[in-house]
């Protein structure tokens, strides 16, 4: 005849109380974690491209854009906004300060087209930027010291040039205080007066891509009287 031995541990109040407290903390922790997660998943963000509100669709880094289209548009906006009329011409070189250099680091010359390259190849290489060799019908009006610390035009000469060329593409110079007005000009000798220079051939201009006013390459006009002293 088999005997069954039953071992009774009995009731221990201390162990039961400890077990209950642990279970309570576990339940509270789980509840708080899920509530926090739900709140995080429902946080609304503002799209940095279009400004619309959107809800984060999952955990992870907080998104900056509401859609892939806005993300791509923002990426394109960060790229240098160079007019097609400049990008389509193989008159680019790298820039070391204001000095033209080739992509590989060798010297570049405004009169030797073999030292120039295309827009696609000039985006990286030696130096600290890139620029364009004027000519082939492309000119530039260089306006010096015409912007204040807030980017407002403070020069009457610069204001007159901008008003005379409403469709031209204008960028901020490397110093942040000047402007480059790009457009079409017949090749000719450079002209210069205080605060305004006009060049259309055999001249290297650093291109920043910092758009002051959107536009394209249009025939440039120098207002009457601006270069009378040149």
């Amino acid at each position: 005849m088999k005997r069954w031995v039953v071992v009774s541990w009995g009731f221990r109040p201390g162990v039961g109380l400890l077990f209950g407290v642990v279970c309570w903390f576990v339940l509270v922790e789980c509840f708080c974690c899920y509530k926090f997660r739900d709140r995080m998943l429902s946080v609304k963000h503002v799209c940095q491209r279009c400004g619309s509100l959107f809800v984060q669709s999952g955990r992870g880094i907080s998104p900056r854009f509401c859609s892939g289209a806005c993300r791509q548009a923002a990426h394109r906006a960060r790229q240098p906004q160079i007019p097609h009329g400049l990008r389509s011409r193989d008159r680019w070189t790298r820039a070391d300060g204001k000095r033209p250099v080739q992509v590989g680091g060798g010297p570049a010359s405004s009169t030797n087209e073999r030292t120039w390259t295309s827009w696609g190849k000039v985006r990286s290489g030696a130096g600290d930027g890139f620029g364009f060799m004027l000519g082939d019908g492309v000119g530039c009006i260089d306006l010096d010291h015409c912007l204040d610390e807030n980017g407002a035009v403070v020069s009457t000469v610069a204001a007159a040039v901008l008003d005379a060329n409403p469709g031209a593409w204008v960028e901020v110079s490397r110093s942040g205080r000047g402007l480059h007005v790009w457009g079409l000009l017949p090749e000719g000798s450079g002209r210069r007066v205080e605060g305004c220079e006009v060049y259309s051939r055999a001249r290297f201009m650093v291109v920043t891509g910092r758009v002051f006013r959107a536009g394209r390459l249009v025939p440039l006009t120098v207002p009457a009287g601006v270069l009378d002293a040149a």
Side-chain angles (χ1 to χ4, degrees):
M1 181 177 179
K2 295 182 179 180
R3 293 183 178 180
W4 297 91
V5 179
V6 178
V7 178
S8 175
W9 291 95
F11 177 73
R12 298 182 181 180
V15 175
L17 179 62
L18 178 62
F19 180 75
V21 171
V22 171
C23 290
W24 185 82
F25 272 109
V26 170
L27 290 174
V28 171
E29 184 72 16
C30 291
F31 176 79
C32 291
C33 287
Y34 277 103
K35 293 295 289 183
F36 178 73
R37 186 195 67 177
D38 291 341
R39 287 199 301 270
M40 287 297 294
L41 294 180
S42 63
V43 169
K44 291 185 177 180
H45 302 274
V46 178
C47 178
Q48 294 185 8
R49 175 63 183 177
C50 67
S52 62
L53 292 175
F54 66 98
V55 177
Q56 185 174 350
S57 59
R59 289 181 291 179
I61 299 175
S62 298
R64 295 185 297 161
F65 307 104
C66 64
S67 65
C70 278
R71 185 181 300 107
Q72 293 177 5
H75 174 73
R76 288 193 297 268
R78 288 194 297 268
Q79 303 303 310
Q81 303 298 301
I82 311 297
H84 180 265
L86 292 178
R87 290 185 284 110
S88 62
R89 289 172 164 85
D90 294 343
R91 304 179 69 90
W92 294 89
T93 72
R94 294 291 296 174
D96 184 6
K98 291 187 176 182
R99 182 173 63 91
V101 295
Q102 299 180 60
V103 172
S109 170
S110 61
T111 58
N112 184 359
E113 63 182 31
R114 289 180 296 180
T115 63
W116 310 341
T117 188
S118 65
W119 164 248
K121 295 179 180 179
V122 82
R123 302 293 298 280
S124 62
D128 54 7
F130 47 77
F132 188 86
M133 295 294 185
L134 298 178
D136 190 25
V138 177
C140 181
I141 302 176
D142 187 6
L143 302 170
D144 295 326
H145 311 297
C146 60
L147 300 178
D148 64 14
E149 62 275 8
N150 298 316
V153 177
V154 294
S155 164
T156 56
V157 171
V161 171
L162 293 174
D163 290 343
N165 299 278
W169 181 68
V170 185
E171 66 170 356
V172 179
S173 66
R174 179 173 283 188
S175 69
R177 293 300 183 91
L179 294 174
H180 297 158
V181 183
W182 291 85
L184 304 176
L185 278 176
E187 292 193 6
S189 300
R191 293 171 290 170
R192 178 178 182 177
V193 295
E194 184 68 26
C196 180
E197 304 171 35
V198 181
Y199 301 106
S200 59
R201 71 175 178 88
R203 181 79 178 191
F204 175 69
M205 294 293 295
V206 174
V207 178
T208 66
R210 296 169 54 190
V211 179
F212 179 82
R213 189 181 69 191
R216 55 193 178 89
L217 296 189
V218 298
L220 294 179
T221 299
V222 180
V226 169
L227 295 175
D228 285 350

